[in-house]
Amino acid sequence: MKEIRVHDLRHSFATMMIGNDVNIVAVSKYLGHKTIDQTLKTYAHLFAKADDAMIEKIDTLFKTG
């Protein structure tokens, strides 16, 4: 079994929060990052899902609007 470090738990927490649409500013503050840029650079790969969700939302708004 792979050893789990505290850092791994921290990364898992951030991933779960971002994946569940928690505000990135709040996540950054909770993680203690000095800037939101630090958080965004570390977890940018997670925002591909957010891009897809935004496109779906735009499509929905234009179809009903």
Side-chain angles (χ1 to χ4, degrees):
M1 180 180 264
K2 182 181 173 187
E3 181 181 341
I4 298 174
R5 304 167 298 158
V6 172
H7 182 78
D8 297 327
L9 295 174
R10 176 184 169 86
H11 186 74
S12 294
F13 166 80
T15 300
M16 286 189 292
M17 295 300 101
I18 293 168
N20 283 286
D21 302 322
V22 173
N23 183 289
I24 190 65
V25 175
V27 175
S28 183
K29 182 179 177 181
Y30 193 84
L31 291 173
H33 290 167
K34 291 184 186 245
T35 66
I36 191 172
D37 290 339
Q38 182 180 0
T39 310
L40 290 170
K41 286 177 186 175
T42 304
Y43 298 101
H45 62 283
L46 299 174
F47 291 98
K49 175 184 162 189
D51 291 345
D52 293 340
M54 179 182 65
I55 291 167
E56 286 180 31
K57 186 67 168 178
I58 290 169
D59 286 344
T60 301
L61 290 171
F62 279 104
K63 287 178 186 174
T64 60

